[in-house]
């Protein structure tokens, strides 16, 4: 087995890597500022602990000491020291002050340390000189822990200060007490005792350094996660704003928002179920709304048909873009919603998105502006074009139909359409209702004779009028109204998103405790600030054991991998080796059992150290080169990964270290003969000789070792916090019980910290203070870890939201634009530039439901039919690039060949048993046979004609299925009395996006015009094609019947054909094609 080293996850928790990441991200200054706030918080915890320690210590001295003369001096010094410490350190709580005077934290910390160490040593010296009391120092362990854990100084300065304190106490121990009062111990014994004390201080400094490094790692990781969270939030807001602007330019918010929510829910469902959510027809929701008081404007370009025949397609599109861009800008100015354009027809609605009492005036003024714009362009390009405009006020239906290529549309607007068609070029043809909703500032004339004779308008008693312009005497009113119209646009909210500085200020600095109570009592300003801050994070975490109230989140937290396990094991190993050395030092019996136990512990603990660090060592050595590892190395990697990832394995390692420690302590206690020690001590007093100090363990040394064990038990990473606290508390209680009830005489004979103060209480005080200090320190660390984890969960969710938002934008774009156009949308299209494509061969289809009245009940049925058509489209769109262009009323427009890769896509699709692919393969066999008979083919892209005709046939089959499905539904039977006519043409077209507001992809050219004419002149139940299209289909073996000469608007009389389809909706192939297929199959 050969493997590669994967150190990517571990490196993310490396101190150097995180430091570099902060610098690369440009947030090092924010890290320093956040550290200042954290240090200010730590100062508050330190002052509270020191005050508690002073009160407890002084209370014990005053209540337990028999003689108080010397104790009063100690109590006075301790109280004065506490007052000085509070006065010196209190300014550090004010973050703004220390930010302005950064040197204050370091200066005050050094003053506080010097004060504590000086009082501790000077009191010992004082009692020794004046009363011959030999005392133990009380602040040595305490002050070293406080420097590392709570003092507001940088890591380097904290290390230097702690080492200075260590050297001071070592010097005091070695050169004063050792020389002056322990001469009779012997040089070797004194040296070994010195080494034991030195090991104790080294372990204390190692634990302090470990805590500092781990805390900075957690803080930097939290800061980077929060920075990334803010960046993801910015990205998400940008993506959603882009999505909102894009979608709302096409669909009104009341229609768009349910679509956006539905897309996101489907994407989330896909991620949870790891599959596409099923879409059933019963789940379709029709997005149609009724608007009772709006105004509709229909505008049609006069002489457009002439332009399509005389102008090149490229020039025609450029002209349309120039016109529609001006129209869109004018529509935005007058708060009119452009719906869509259909070739030469542009229609829009006022009062649709936001109710507006001036909607009729907005449309009339827009119409006049449009006429002015087209005449201005007409004069520039010297082309004979003009515009007819029809405007009507009333009720309409608006919404979205289908499931693909969503486009906002309106229905029940035939009156406005009829007003446009019966109007006059250069004038606005309005209904009487619209005119009544405007004022008298327009030049108004009676409507056209054509309108008065129109059957449809007479049926609805519509009286019409012509507006030719605005009275010159009321120009100022018109201008003022222009400004009024411009105020109808929707205001955008100024949302700058999250700020990293603001997020860090809101970041909780610690768990809720007594510190908050102290702040509320002594700092009212801080109290008000705290009320303004978010307490969401604190409310989700317990106050004492800091557990997540959400049990699932707590479970995930404690089961996350521990990539810092190796550092905990290293510290635990050092602590274990120190204990073994101390045990060997006091092992006077030299029994083999103790030696065997020590050897086993050294080997097993070293093996754990080697396994957890081996991966790191390999990374150090081979990170810059490609290295293949042996099977044994791979096996060690797997073991290390298992230890990191498994909570059970980590707890096993943790408990093994704890048990090992107590095995060593048990050996030390077993080496001590209590009765013999008591007898020897009594004899030494009676006969006045120095006792043998090595007969039993040194109580203060053992107490310091137990303090190290308690610290190690609590600061071990990624073990449940409540378990570590329980183990530490159990260790403290067990040790005190043993000392008080089993070895009370040994402890009683040890040195004390104050005159007449019982040594038992001094030992108990050190254990208690150590436990409290480590508890509050680890409580802060656990809180930081849980906040970091909570933020990492929020970051993952934010990343998922950003990804879903990006995916939803892509889905929306693909649901409105062809796939190959999506990539260029954010460049040219977003800048309102003209985007177009030219194609030599495209097949275009128009499919219309005949005699289908667009009432609200029928729209519901139409939505089902269009959705079924879109479902069929999804198969063709993926494999054969059939694109839905738009829906006009009850007409479905599609095209095939609108992709530069269309030939490759059609040519290289995989084989399958799908009936569609089988039909295409059959057509290709026919084409190959015809080629051998020298039938000319101009381009391989002509296959798009066959594909689109097959799609048209599938639509006819789908409509037949819908007819059968709705037979048993109680609806109007007239809805399905009609059938569908289909028109198809092929040839050169241009496709693109024109206008300046809404994204609408459309195609132009002779082929598109002819497909529309084939549909309008077709017959229900037939596929009507042009002569060129029929010739292409015949090359694929499809029979096309000659219909005859048909009049086509703009083209005259032309020969047209019907695609031959049998009663089962299958193509009728020519007999020659069957023979050709047989010959081709035999030749293959």
């Amino acid at each position: 087995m050969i493997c590669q080293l994967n150190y990517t996850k571990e490196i993310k928790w490396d101190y150097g890597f995180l430091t570099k990441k902060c610098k690369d991200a440009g947030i090092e200054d924010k890290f320093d500022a956040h550290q200042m706030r954290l240090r200010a918080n730590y100062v508050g915890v330190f002052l509270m602990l020191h005050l508690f320690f002073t009160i407890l210590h002084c209370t014990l001295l005053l209540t337990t000491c028999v003689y108080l003369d010397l104790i009063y001096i100690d109590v006075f010094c301790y109280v004065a020291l506490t007052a000085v410490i509070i006065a010196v350190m209190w300014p550090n709580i004010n973050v703004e002050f220390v930010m302005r005077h950064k040197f204050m934290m370091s200066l005050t910390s050094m003053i506080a340390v010097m004060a504590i160490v000086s009082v501790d040593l000077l009191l010992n010296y004082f009692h020794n000189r004046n009363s011959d009391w030999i005392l133990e120092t009380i602040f040595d362990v305490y002050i070293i822990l406080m420097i590392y854990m709570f003092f507001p100084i940088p890591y380097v300065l904290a290390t230097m200060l702690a080492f200075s304190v260590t050297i001071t106490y070592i010097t005091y121990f070695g050169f004063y007490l050792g020389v002056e009062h322990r001469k009779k111990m012997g040089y070797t014994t004194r040296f070994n005792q010195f080494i034991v004390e030195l090991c104790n201080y080294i372990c204390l400094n190692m634990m302090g350094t470990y805590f500092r490094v781990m805390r900075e790692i957690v803080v930097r990781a939290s800061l980077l996660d929060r920075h990334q969270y803010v960046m993801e939030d910015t990205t998400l807001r940008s993506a959603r704003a882009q999505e909102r602007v894009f979608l709302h330019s096409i669909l009104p918010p009341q229609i768009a928002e349910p679509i956006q929510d539905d897309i996101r829910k489907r994407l989330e469902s896909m991620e949870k179920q790891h599959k596409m959510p099923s879409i059933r027809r019963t789940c379709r929701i029709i997005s149609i709304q009724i608007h009772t008081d709006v105004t509709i404007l229909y505008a049609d370009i006069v002489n457009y048909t002439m332009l399509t025949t005389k102008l090149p397609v490229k020039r025609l599109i450029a002209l349309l873009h120039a016109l529609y861009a001006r129209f869109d800008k004018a529509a935005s100015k007058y708060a009119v919603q452009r719906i869509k354009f259909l070739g030469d027809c542009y229609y829009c609605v006022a009062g649709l998105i936001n109710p507006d009492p001036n909607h009729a005036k907005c449309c009339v003024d827009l119409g006049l502006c449009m006429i002015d714009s087209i005449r201005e362009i007409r004069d520039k390009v010297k082309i004979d074009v003009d515009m007819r405009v029809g405007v009507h006020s009333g009720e309409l239906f608006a919404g979205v139909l289908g499931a693909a290529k969503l486009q906002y549309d309106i229905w029940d607007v035939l009156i406005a359409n009829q007003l446009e068609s019966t109007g006059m070029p250069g004038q606005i043809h309005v209904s009487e209702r619209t005119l009544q909703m405007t004022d008298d500032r327009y030049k108004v004339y009676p409507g056209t004779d054509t309108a008065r004779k129109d059957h449809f308008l007479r049926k609805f008693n519509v009286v019409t009028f012509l507006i030719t312009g605005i009275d010159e005497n009321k120009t100022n009113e018109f201008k003022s109204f222009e400004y009024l119209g411009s105020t109808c646009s929707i205001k955008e909210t100024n949302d700058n998103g999250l700020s990293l500085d603001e997020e860090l200020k809101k970041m909780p600095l610690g768990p809720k405790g007594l510190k908050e109570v102290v702040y509320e009592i002594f700092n009212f300003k801080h109290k008000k600030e705290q009320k303004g801050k978010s307490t969401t994070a604190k409310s989700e975490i317990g106050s004492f054991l800091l557990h997540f109230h959400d049990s699932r989140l707590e479970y995930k937290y404690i089961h996350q991998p521990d990539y810092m396990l190796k550092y905990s094991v290293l510290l635990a190993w050092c602590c274990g080796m120190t204990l073994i050395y101390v045990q060997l030092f006091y092992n006077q019996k030299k029994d083999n059992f103790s030696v065997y136990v020590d050897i086993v512990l050294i080997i097993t603990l070293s093996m754990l150290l080697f396994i957890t660090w081996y991966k790191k060592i390999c990374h150090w050595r081979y990170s810059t080169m490609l290295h293949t590892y042996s099977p044994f190395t791979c096996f060690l990697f797997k073991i290390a990964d298992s230890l990191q990832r498994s909570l059970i394995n980590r707890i096993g390692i943790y408990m093994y270290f704890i048990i090992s420690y107590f095995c060593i302590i048990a050996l030390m206690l077993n080496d001590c003969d209590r009765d013999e020690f008591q007898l020897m001590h009594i004899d030494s007093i009676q006969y006045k000789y120095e006792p043998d100090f090595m007969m039993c363990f040194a109580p203060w040394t053992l107490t310091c070792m137990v303090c190290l064990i308690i610290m190690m038990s609590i600061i071990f990473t990624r073990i449940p916090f409540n378990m570590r606290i329980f183990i530490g508390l159990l260790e403290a209680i067990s040790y005190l019980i043993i000392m008080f009830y089993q070895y009370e005489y040994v402890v009683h004979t040890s040195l004390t910290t104050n005159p007449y103060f019982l040594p038992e209480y001094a030992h108990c005080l050190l254990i208690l203070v150590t436990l409290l200090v480590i508890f509050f320190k680890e409580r802060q660390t656990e809180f930081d870890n849980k906040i970091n984890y909570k933020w990492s969960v929020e970051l993952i969710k934010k990343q998922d939201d950003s990804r879903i938002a990006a995916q939803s934008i892509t889905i929306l774009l693909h649901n409105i634009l062809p796939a190959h156009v999506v990539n260029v949308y954010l460049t040219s299209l977003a800048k309102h530039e003209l985007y177009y494509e030219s194609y030599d061969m495209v097949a275009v289809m128009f499919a219309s439901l005949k005699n289908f009245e667009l009432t609200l009940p029928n729209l519901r049925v139409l939505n089902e039919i269009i959705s079924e058509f879109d479902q069929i489209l999804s198969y063709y769109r993926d494999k054969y690039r059939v694109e839905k262009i738009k829906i006009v009323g009850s007409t479905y427009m599609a095209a095939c060949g609108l992709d530069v890769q269309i030939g490759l896509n059609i040519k290289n699709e995989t084989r399958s048993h799908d009936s569609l692919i089988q039909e295409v393969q059959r057509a290709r066999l026919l084409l190959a046979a015809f080629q051998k008979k020298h039938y000319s083919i101009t381009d391989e892209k002509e296959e798009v004609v066959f594909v689109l005709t097959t799609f048209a046939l599938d639509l006819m089959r789908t409509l037949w299925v819908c007819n059968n499905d709705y037979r048993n539904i109680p609806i109007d039977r007239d809805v399905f009395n009609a059938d569908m006519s289909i028109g198809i043409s092929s040839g050169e077209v241009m496709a693109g996006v024109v206008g300046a507001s809404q994204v609408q992809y459309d195609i132009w050219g002779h082929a598109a015009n002819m497909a529309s004419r084939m549909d309008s002149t077709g017959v229900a139940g037939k596929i009507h094609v042009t002569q060129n299209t029929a010739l292409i289909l015949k090359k694929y073996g499809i029979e096309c019947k000659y219909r005859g000469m048909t009049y086509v608007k703009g083209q005259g009389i032309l020969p047209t054909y019907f695609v031959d389809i049998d009663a089962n909706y299958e193509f009728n192939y020519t007999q020659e094609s069957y023979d050709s297929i047989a010959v081709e199959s035999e030749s293959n």
Side-chain angles (χ1 to χ4, degrees), residues 293-297 357-365 390-394 415-416 419 428-440 442 444 462-465 467:
D293 188 19
V294 294
T295 298
I296 310 100
L297 181 148
N358 297 315
H359 55 80
K361 298 178 183 179
C362 290
C363 276
V364 172
D365 290 337
V391 179
H392 175 64
S393 301
I415 294 178
L419 288 173
I428 301 177
H429 200 195
V430 301
S431 64
E432 184 179 19
R433 182 175 180 182
T434 300
L435 186 62
Q436 291 173 352
M437 299 180 70
T438 61
D439 49 33
D440 59 350
Y442 301 105
V444 182
V462 178
V463 180
T464 65
F465 298 88
I467 294 178

Side-chain angles (χ1 to χ4, degrees), residues 34-49 89 92-93 105 146 148-153 211-212 215-216 219 509-511 515 519 776-777 780-781 784:
H34 183 57
Q35 281 282 64
M36 287 289 186
R37 289 190 288 269
L38 286 175
R39 289 167 185 167
N41 178 71
Y42 298 149
V43 169
V45 178
F46 163 69
L47 294 179
M48 182 182 64
L49 286 174
M89 299 296 291
N92 294 322
I93 294 179
M105 282 190 168
M146 287 299 181
Y148 281 111
M149 297 179 182
F150 295 111
F151 270 48
I153 50 179
F211 165 73
R212 278 278 179 159
R215 183 172 70 184
E216 187 161 336
V219 173
L509 301 177
K515 175 172 60 66
Y519 282 163
F776 278 99
K777 188 280 307 180
Q780 177 70 44
T781 303
D784 293 340

Side-chain angles (χ1 to χ4, degrees), residues 86-251:
I86 293 176
V88 170
M89 299 296 291
W90 187 261
N92 294 322
I93 294 179
N94 190 329
V95 180
E96 297 179 357
F97 175 78
V98 296
M99 288 292 287
R100 292 193 303 267
H101 309 87
K102 295 184 179 180
F103 68 93
M104 284 297 297
M105 282 190 168
S106 301
L107 179 62
T108 54
S109 297
M110 288 190 288
I111 293 174
V113 170
M114 291 174 60
I116 293 174
V117 174
S118 299
V119 169
D120 193 21
L121 297 182
L122 289 176
L123 280 176
N124 283 12
Y125 181 80
F126 171 78
H127 291 302
N128 179 51
R129 286 300 181 185
N130 290 276
S131 307
D132 293 330
W133 277 95
I134 302 175
L135 302 174
E136 280 286 345
T137 55
I138 191 167
F139 286 118
D140 54 348
V141 174
Y142 172 80
I143 191 59
I144 291 175
L145 291 179
M146 287 299 181
I147 289 173
Y148 281 111
M149 297 179 182
F150 295 111
F151 270 48
I153 50 179
Y155 165 69
V156 176
L157 183 58
T159 304
M160 294 173 59
L161 196 58
F163 269 97
S164 300
V165 172
T166 300
I167 293 173
T168 301
Y169 278 104
I170 286 292
T171 303
Y172 171 79
F173 174 82
F175 291 93
Y176 179 69
L177 292 180
V179 174
E180 295 292 333
H181 301 282
R182 299 182 184 179
K183 295 179 180 178
K184 297 181 181 180
M185 293 171 58
Y187 176 79
T188 303
T189 302
R190 190 165 65 247
F191 176 77
N192 289 334
Q193 186 71 25
F194 178 82
I195 296 299
V196 169
E197 295 289 338
L198 183 62
C199 289
N200 175 43
Y201 286 122
I202 290 175
C203 283
L204 281 176
N205 281 276
M206 287 182 60
M207 287 190 177
T209 303
Y210 170 84
F211 165 73
R212 278 278 179 159
V213 173
M214 292 297 104
R215 183 172 70 184
E216 187 161 336
I217 286 175
V218 171
V219 173
R220 286 187 179 274
S222 299
L223 188 66
L224 285 169
D225 282 348
R226 209 55 182 173
H227 174 259
Q228 191 172 355
Y229 178 86
V230 172
M231 295 300 102
E232 292 289 344
D233 181 81
T234 303
T235 303
L236 178 61
R237 286 175 182 270
S238 176
R240 287 186 172 173
Q242 186 181 33
E243 174 187 358
R244 182 171 58 252
V245 171
F246 168 70
L247 188 58
H248 291 178
S249 70
I250 302 170
L251 305 175

Side-chain angles (χ1 to χ4, degrees), residues 825-843:
Y825 168 72
L826 296 178
T827 55
S828 61
L829 299 187
K831 299 175 183 177
H832 309 312
E833 297 176 358
L834 173 62
Y835 172 79
Y836 63 90
E837 306 158 336
S838 180
Y839 297 98
D840 296 332
M841 175 55 67
V842 173

Side-chain angles (χ1 to χ4, degrees), residues 263-302:
I263 291 175
R264 292 195 187 99
K265 289 178 181 178
R266 291 179 185 273
L267 289 172
E268 292 172 358
S269 176
M270 288 169 56
E271 291 186 355
K272 291 179 180 179
Q273 302 177 10
H274 303 288
K275 63 180 181 178
M276 285 294 295
S278 59
I279 303 175
R280 300 180 180 178
R281 190 172 68 184
T282 56
C283 297
R284 292 175 186 145
I285 301 175
I286 184 169
S287 300
I288 295 178
Q289 297 177 335
I290 302 175
H291 299 270
T292 57
D293 188 19
V294 294
T295 298
I296 310 100
L297 181 148
Y298 261 85
D300 189 75
I301 300 176
V302 180

Side-chain angles (χ1 to χ4, degrees), residues 653-819:
I653 293 175
Y654 171 75
M655 292 306 301
Y656 183 75
F657 274 107
I658 300 302
I659 293 171
S660 300
Y661 296 158
F662 274 89
C663 286
I664 298 170
I665 297 296
L667 292 176
M668 293 179 64
L669 295 177
N670 187 56
D671 287 339
C672 178
D673 191 332
R674 294 169 292 172
D675 296 333
E676 185 179 353
F677 178 85
Q678 184 175 354
L679 181 61
M680 181 204 65
H681 187 264
I682 294 173
D683 288 344
S684 67
I685 296 175
Q686 183 177 359
Y687 297 105
K688 300 186 184 303
Y689 67 87
E690 284 293 329
D692 183 6
F693 291 97
M694 303 302 296
M695 180 175 292
C696 268
F697 57 86
W700 277 109
T701 300
L702 188 61
T703 299
C704 290
M705 292 297 104
V706 172
C707 288
L708 290 177
I709 293 174
I710 292 173
M711 286 187 280
M712 191 66 245
S713 302
I714 296 179
I715 67 176
F716 205 99
T717 59
R718 289 291 187 268
I719 302 298
F721 179 68
N722 51 1
M723 179 179 180
R724 287 180 284 147
I725 296 301
F726 175 77
I727 294 294
L729 187 62
L730 183 63
E731 290 168 345
I733 294 175
S734 301
Y735 177 73
L736 292 177
I737 290 175
I738 292 173
M739 291 296 103
F740 273 90
Y741 294 100
Q742 295 294 324
Y743 296 89
E744 71 279 2
Y745 191 84
V746 177
V747 175
H748 186 74
T749 59
S750 64
L751 298 178
T752 185
T753 58
N754 299 92
Y756 307 109
F757 188 49
L758 293 179
E760 296 92 320
Y761 294 153
H763 285 270
C764 182
L765 184 63
L766 179 59
I767 293 291
L768 178 61
V769 169
T770 301
L771 185 63
L772 286 177
V773 169
I774 297 301
F775 168 75
F776 278 99
K777 188 280 307 180
E778 194 58 29
R779 186 168 178 260
Q780 177 70 44
T781 303
E782 181 72 7
F783 181 81
D784 293 340
N785 286 330
K786 293 215 165 174
I787 290 297
N788 180 46
Y789 180 75
K790 181 69 169 55
W791 281 0
S792 65
V793 171
E794 291 179 357
L795 174 61
I796 293 173
K797 186 178 183 302
K798 186 69 69 174
Q799 290 173 334
D800 291 340
D801 291 342
S802 298
R803 186 177 64 256
I804 290 175
Q807 289 177 350
S808 66
I809 292 174
T810 303
I811 291 173
L812 286 170
L813 284 170
H814 281 81
N815 219 5
I816 295 172
L817 301 174

